[in-house]
Amino acid sequence: MRPRPSPALLAALPAAVLLAVSAPSAAQAPWETWKGPSVLPRLFAGDQVVTRSSFCPSGCAYDRTSEGDGRFLRVEGEEQVVLEETGPGAIVRIWMTAGQGTSEPLDPAVRIRIRLDGAEAPAVDVALPDLFSGRVAPFLPPLVSDRSVSSGGNVSYVPIPYRAGCRVSLVGAGRYKLWFQLDLHRLAEPGAIETFTGREDLSTLARLLSGAGEDPWPGSGETLRGAAEGVPPARLDLFRFEGPGTLTKLRLRLPLPAGEEAVARLAVDGEVRAEMPAADLFALGRGTPLPARSVLVGLDREGWAYLFFPVPFRSAVEVSLRLPETTYPSRWTVEWEARVDRADIPPDAGRFGALLLEASGGAGRDVPLLSADGSGKWVGLFTRLGPGPGAGPGFLEGDERVFVDGSPFPARHGTGVEDLFSGGFYFDRGPFVLPLHGCLERRAGFSAGEEATAYRLFLTDAVPWTSSIRAGLEGGPTGQLPLRARTVAYVYDRAEPGLVPLASVDLGDPPSLSASGYRAEGAAECAPLSSGWPGGGSPVTVTSCRREDGDSSFRLRLPVPGVRGLRLRRRLDAGTPGQEADVFLDGIPAGRFPPVDANPWFRLRDADLDVPLDAVPVSAREVTVTVRPVPRDFSPSFSEVRWELFGALPPVPVAGEGDGAPVSPAPR
């Protein structure tokens, strides 16, 4: 029998020290996950994460690679605008690659300019290679990597926050064959965010990324050690800790390679949150030249498999192993290390989970990477991918698409498998491991053995969802190649949704228009629109109303007073560019929808706007929405198809059950 660590011993740790390490400030930004183990599990309200990329809007095979293909929002003088945001947020990842068949150094004649908060002077104005070369502050290793380090990709994880919007432009890229992805947060309100200056102290993040494989949360509790022995097949109960607390370290020394097939089981508060072979949970790979060695999961230099994702628990956490039937070793000894932080768990913390999925796709059907309901955020991915027989490396041309909260418009639409993992051109510089991403193996050859094994942590760009998430991978360049995948998605989640639908108005439904009191100034042209969605959504026919100027307004009923965390979803016809709009709730400014790029092939689009908490009184039972198009030279008209309001319902007190349960939304 192995000894059980004493809960009293853990509880005796100095609480003041733990709180100093773990507790985030009230003004914590959602991307500042490097500031302590209590931050990453938090499910922040009023936060969206989206990607602006060079994916092909018409669904063409190899994304945007030709002159005049519309990969820019617009052209202003010598600048090609690739991103424009109109509210608070942060760019947290910039990835790019260029080349003809293989990756090439980025062209120093092309510049990148980033303007923040409406300023004319750029906060960043450098030659494109200097953003990733590691020679220009603050874009320094390990926060940036170029194609020689990131196997064909150039990537920056330097956070660039702003309080009132940003614009990213290229100079000299009009005929340049360039692929790009920009991952960014959109926030309801700026709070205490300070706009990027280039002089920020990012030393804590740099130390975290420099120490991949080492303990990222030292000081957050006392590390306890033990060992368990058994003869396979057997189950080894390694440890159980009573709560509340947060497991901030889990390390196992397994007999390899047989230990890769031992099934690791993590149970939190009586619920199994991970159960899969150790090779999957710890991203060890199976016979790959390299194991993962990221900041949160992998195999360290001493041969310990580690999991540093913080695991909050209220009542108990326990870890066990089920040994496979093997002849060698005939008797197993498994050493373990674990640590529990007794600092308070943030009330908005989600439950850690690792979800194993083995699936196939192709013939127009994406391979699923993650499917979940409730609310949460996606913080990491480990995957082993391969095509059907004879398909060759073209399977790496498939784009990832991430759909959140029931919208058929992807919040993230990538540009290829290796791009998702921050490489490029089929990982043309070979396998590599970096703190936040890597490729453990890339088998080449036109056979069933063609395969890629890779990982990525969404440390600063975790994808949040408030009711559902569906993430998938396209089967090759046109979605038709057969594809197989074995994936592990690391998440923090809750079973209940964060937001629920409250009310809507559909411009093609006269009763809906009448009930909402919808009205529009100026002459509007309403007509049927039949269109599909970028990312493969089924075509639908809707009514699209388009006008050149003038406000529109409508009333939306709230089912009960006390609704908070409002989010307004706009469905529009993206056949023309621009279409910015200011939103007012009961006459109070509530934010601005940013401009969109035109897509004449798939014209339907959804856009969400999170509303500041003080925009609507707590006692409100109805809200009047006013939408005011923003006139811009490049925006010929403004369109509306549908509006929908989401929100967080207050709990209904239930005798003897604490704060109670949320009320049900009104019928839609």
Side-chain angles (χ1 to χ4, degrees), residues 94 107-114 122-133 135-139 169-171:
I94 301 175
D107 187 349
V110 177
R111 300 187 69 81
I112 183 168
R113 293 174 180 166
I114 303 177
V124 176
D125 186 356
V126 297
L128 200 54
D130 288 339
L131 196 70
F132 311 103
S133 67
R135 297 189 296 267
V136 176
F139 301 97
S169 302
L170 301 174
V171 179

Side-chain angles (χ1 to χ4, degrees), residues 23-296:
S25 70
Q28 190 77 62
W31 54 86
E32 294 178 334
T33 52
W34 62 86
K35 292 192 172 181
S38 64
V39 185
L40 187 60
R42 294 185 60 190
L43 306 182
F44 289 87
D47 178 36
Q48 304 173 51
V49 173
V50 299
T51 296
R52 164 80 175 128
S53 80
S54 57
F55 85 92
C56 183
S58 67
C60 60
Y62 296 100
D63 297 313
R64 300 176 173 186
T65 59
S66 305
E67 181 183 1
D69 62 8
R71 61 188 181 274
F72 310 124
L73 284 175
R74 62 184 183 277
V75 176
E76 292 186 349
E78 66 173 357
E79 299 189 9
Q80 300 86 41
V81 181
V82 297
L83 172 70
E84 184 166 8
E85 290 291 302
T86 55
I91 301 169
V92 290
R93 173 179 174 265
I94 301 175
W95 169 91
M96 293 182 176
T97 195
Q100 300 278 354
T102 59
S103 66
E104 299 173 358
L106 296 174
D107 187 349
V110 177
R111 300 187 69 81
I112 183 168
R113 293 174 180 166
I114 303 177
R115 294 177 172 86
L116 306 174
D117 295 346
E120 280 303 313
V124 176
D125 186 356
V126 297
L128 200 54
D130 288 339
L131 196 70
F132 311 103
S133 67
R135 297 189 296 267
V136 176
F139 301 97
L140 301 173
L143 276 68
V144 303
S145 303
D146 66 11
R147 72 183 185 100
S148 66
V149 177
S150 196
S151 198
N154 304 272
V155 65
S156 167
Y157 291 106
V158 174
I160 304 177
Y162 41 87
R163 293 181 61 82
C166 74
R167 186 167 84 240
V168 180
S169 302
L170 301 174
V171 179
R175 299 186 179 184
Y176 188 37
K177 188 174 284 191
L178 178 73
W179 292 262
F180 61 82
Q181 297 179 7
L182 293 91
D183 296 341
L184 59 132
H185 287 258
R186 288 176 176 164
L187 302 181
E189 45 196 328
I193 292 172
E194 296 184 2
T195 297
F196 172 85
T197 64
R199 299 183 296 275
E200 288 76 13
D201 181 5
L202 297 174
S203 58
T204 303
L205 176 58
R207 282 195 298 271
L208 178 72
L209 299 185
S210 297
E214 302 172 6
D215 186 353
W217 318 119
S220 60
E222 180 181 350
T223 296
L224 301 172
R225 298 172 177 85
E229 294 185 350
V231 176
R235 169 174 161 159
L236 302 182
D237 293 321
L238 302 185
F239 60 79
R240 173 185 170 89
F241 297 138
E242 305 296 331
T246 300
L247 184 70
T248 58
K249 176 198 284 189
L250 171 60
R251 296 176 78 221
L252 302 181
R253 190 193 290 273
L254 301 164
L256 298 175
E260 294 181 349
E261 299 309 316
V263 175
R265 183 179 184 271
L266 170 68
V268 180
D269 299 335
E271 179 184 355
V272 177
R273 299 294 297 165
E275 188 168 21
M276 65 191 71
D280 297 304
L281 179 61
F282 295 100
L284 304 180
R286 286 178 168 82
T288 57
L290 298 172
R293 187 164 293 146
S294 76
V295 293
L296 296 178

Side-chain angles (χ1 to χ4, degrees), residues 565-587:
L566 293 178
R567 173 176 291 177
L568 185 64
R569 173 169 294 169
R570 170 192 177 198
R571 184 160 295 176
L572 67 145
D573 174 1
T576 58
Q579 305 193 54
E580 279 179 81
D582 287 322
V583 174
F584 302 83
L585 300 184
D586 294 333

Side-chain angles (χ1 to χ4, degrees), residues 40 93 157 181 276 279-285 291-298 307 309 352-359 367-371 377-385 398-402 412 416-422 427 432 434-440 452-463 465 469-474 483-492:
L40 187 60
R93 173 179 174 265
Y157 291 106
Q181 297 179 7
M276 65 191 71
D280 297 304
L281 179 61
F282 295 100
L284 304 180
R293 187 164 293 146
S294 76
V295 293
L296 296 178
V297 65
L307 192 76
F309 286 102
F352 173 77
L355 311 174
L356 175 65
L357 191 59
E358 205 160 10
V367 175
L369 301 175
L370 172 62
S371 179
K377 64 180 180 182
W378 185 17
V379 294
L381 175 67
F382 173 61
T383 187
R384 191 175 184 178
L385 299 165
D399 301 342
E400 84 276 8
R401 280 87 75 103
V402 183
R412 300 177 74 143
V417 172
E418 72 275 38
D419 312 347
L420 167 63
F421 297 100
S422 296
F427 302 113
F432 68 104
L434 288 173
L436 298 179
H437 63 276
C439 174
L440 309 184
T453 302
Y455 66 90
R456 177 171 162 194
L457 298 181
F458 306 116
L459 187 69
T460 58
D461 57 340
V463 186
W465 73 91
I469 184 170
R470 304 287 183 266
L473 193 60
E474 182 186 23
L483 185 64
R484 51 185 168 80
R486 183 180 177 94
T487 63
V488 179
Y490 304 97
V491 303
Y492 289 95

